């Protein structure tokens, strides 16, 4: 209990001012490193301010003083109890080469789930196109996929390479932007307990399965592989990684086989979600460039090269995801 | 809808953060949207230089710049400016961790990515509904990122001069009871008394009498002033004297 409020304020004011100064120092300079003595002083001042707040709170009329101390304690609190690595540096290469593959491996179960979902969708799409001709009009997303694949292949191959050169930059940018936007949406739909993500992925699978079977049935498997593999070997996995991140959000909400609270689960997974979507964005930028500058060129003499390129790219991607950043992982485990 | 979150420190001390309401947040978002549009307009002017090389390249760059700006504006500003964007700063609000800790960049990424759902079908309807049902006024992105949006600007202090008694305050004759009242009356109770007196003319006469009676009885129970003092005062006058006793002490300290 404070007997003499005036004396109390006079006595404590210099300590509050000193704490205010130390907070300002840290706020202005995020890279500020305090030594042991300064940290101890900061903690002492923080404890003194919290104690002052506890003593002043019962004084009804001291609304502004309570608010001032409330504000002081709330600003000092995160520096005492931490939570943020102040020196989070902009390291895009490290995030992609280490953060992204590590997150992928940590959340591998979600990747299995999303892969199974797209596979089931593909099977349904293929079965639907095989046994129900009318389903093609429902499944195919673009008009140019509605016709006979053999006609399209003949047309594409007859077009001179010079004529195939078009507005590649705009096309690549449009592909990147649209694919990343769709991936973000797929991720965000995880907030529907993962159901929205699963549905979107399943639907993508249906389209993919339908298109693939349509071309295989028409005897255009080589064209299909040469058309899809160069960019699809990156684009399709990237869409799956976005779905993987969406399922992580769903799992955080569901809490299946977890003793943590929703808040703790989200806190534990936020970094993996960020790393996955970052990796997705980089991969989709690459896929956009490949789709615009390579996939759209058709000709029988190009097919073996395009298929080889796509296959190697797919192998490299999964080798990267399985092995990259393992040293860092081990270091973190030791730490 | 709740208007504050209380955080208890490991030392057992509680401090509170005032939550920003939907209207304030919507205004901040509107300002930020105009800001993004203005930057885009400037950028498209600047990117026109690339027309010398290729119109195709200019269109591609404009598309990418617009996309990065749409998603990056909030993320980057909230990270660099510790939870604020221009709109938030103007509206006196900022993003904070729900436990009062520092924001992680990951949290900002998650809250801003989930904006694509919150904004649906238009004008943040999904996010708005989520805020109404959330105890910490969180949209879906905030829930997933463990963030809240709080008011940083302090509310103006209530001007109590209008309700202070014009006559002599008879309670001053009993400083020990005034002191007891000051210590026992809680801030929230004092706020209710002040608001009840300030809104005097807006209250229905019967309800006003009943409310003042209830408040005065409560104050008397906290500090039992002698009957000869309270008998001569109406409940309203007694409450005005209570406010005067408390604030007069504060002014004296100042």
């Amino acid at each position: 209990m404070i007997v003499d409020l005036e004396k109390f304020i006079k006595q404590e004011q210099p300590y509050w001012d000193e704490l205010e100064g130390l907070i300002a120092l840290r706020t202005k300079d995020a890279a500020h490193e305090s030594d042991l003595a300064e940290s101890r002083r900061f903690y002492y001042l923080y404890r003194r301010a919290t104690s002052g707040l506890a003593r002043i709170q019962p004084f009804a009329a001291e609304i502004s003083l309570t608010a001032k101390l409330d504000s002081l304690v709330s600003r000092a609190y995160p520096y005492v109890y931490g939570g943020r690595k102040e020196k989070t540096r902009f390291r895009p290469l490290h995030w992609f080469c280490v953060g992204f593959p590590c997150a992928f491996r940590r959340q591998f179960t979600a990747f299995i789930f999303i892969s199974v979902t797209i596979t089931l969708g593909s099977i349904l799409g293929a079965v639907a196109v095989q046994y129900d001709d009318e389903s093609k009009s429902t499944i195919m997303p673009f008009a140019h996929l509605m016709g006979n694949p053999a006609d399209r292949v003949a047309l594409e191959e007859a077009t001179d390479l010079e004529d195939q050169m078009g507005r590649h930059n705009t096309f690549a940018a449009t592909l990147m932007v649209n694919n990343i936007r769709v991936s973000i949406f797929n991720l965000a739909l995880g907030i529907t307990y993962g159901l929205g993500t699963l549905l979107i992925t399943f639907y993508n699978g249906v389209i993919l399965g339908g298109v693939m079977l349509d071309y295989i049935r028409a005897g255009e498997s080589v064209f299909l592989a040469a058309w899809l593999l160069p960019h699809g070997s990156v684009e399709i996995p990237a869409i799956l990684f976005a779905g993987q991140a969406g399922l992580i959000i769903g799992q955080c909400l569901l809490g299946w086989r977890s003793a943590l609270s929703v808040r703790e689960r989200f806190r534990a997974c936020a970094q993996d979600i960020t790393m996955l979507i970052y990796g997705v964005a980089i991969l989709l930028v690459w896929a956009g460039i490949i789709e615009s500058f390579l996939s759209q060129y058709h000709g029988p003499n190009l097919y073996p090269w395009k298929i080889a390129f796509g296959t190697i790219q797919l192998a490299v991607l999964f080798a990267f995801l399985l092995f990259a950043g393992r040293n860092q992982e081990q270091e973190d485990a030791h730490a | 809808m709740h208007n504050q979150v209380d955080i208890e420190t490991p030392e057992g001390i509680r401090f509170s953060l005032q939550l920003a309401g939907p209207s304030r947040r919507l205004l901040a978002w509107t300002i930020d949207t105009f800001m993004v549009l203005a930057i885009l307009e400037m950028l498209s002017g600047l990117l026109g230089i690339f027309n010398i090389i290729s119109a195709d390249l200019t269109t591609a760059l404009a598309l990418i710049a617009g996309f990065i700006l749409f998603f990056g504006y909030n993320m980057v500003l909230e990270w660099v400016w510790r939870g604020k964007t221009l709109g938030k700063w103007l509206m006196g609000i900022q993003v904070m961790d729900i436990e009062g800790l520092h924001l992680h960049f990951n949290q900002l990424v998650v809250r801003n990515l989930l904006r694509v759902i919150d904004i649906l079908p238009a004008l943040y309807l999904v996010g708005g509904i989520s805020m109404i049902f959330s105890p910490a006024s969180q949209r879906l992105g905030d829930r997933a990122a463990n963030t809240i949006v709080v008011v940083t600007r302090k509310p103006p202090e209530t001007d109590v001069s209008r309700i202070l008694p014009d006559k002599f305050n008879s309670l001053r004759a009993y400083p020990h009871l005034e002191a007891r009242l000051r210590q026992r009356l809680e801030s929230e109770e004092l706020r209710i008394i002040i608001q009840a007196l300030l809104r005097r003319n807006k209250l229905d006469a019967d309800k006003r009498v009943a409310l003042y009676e209830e408040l005065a009885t409560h104050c008397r129970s906290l500090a039992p002033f002698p009957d000869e003092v309270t008998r001569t005062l109406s409940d309203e006058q007694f409450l005005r004297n209570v406010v005067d006793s408390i604030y007069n002490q504060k002014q004296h300290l100042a």
Side-chain angles (χ1 to χ4, degrees), chain A residues 27 49 54 69 77 91 117 135 183 222 226 241 243 260 283 324:
Chain A
T27 312
L69 279 179
Y77 177 70
R91 296 201 293 173
T117 307
S135 66
S183 298
V222 177
F241 303 146
L260 301 174
L283 291 178

Side-chain angles (χ1 to χ4, degrees), chain A residues 184-206:
Chain A
I184 289 173
F185 193 70
N186 198 10
L187 173 150
L189 275 176
I191 204 75
T192 59
Y193 291 83
L195 204 63
T197 302
L198 286 175
L199 282 174
I200 292 274
T201 309
F202 186 81
Y203 177 63
N204 283 333
V206 170

Side-chain angles (χ1 to χ4, degrees), chain A residues 244-264:
Chain A
Q244 182 184 8
L247 285 193
I248 298 170
I249 294 177
Q251 160 64 7
C252 285
L253 288 167
L254 286 168
W256 184 51
R257 296 171 72 180
S258 171
L260 301 174
S261 68
V262 180
R263 202 181 280 184
E264 288 166 333

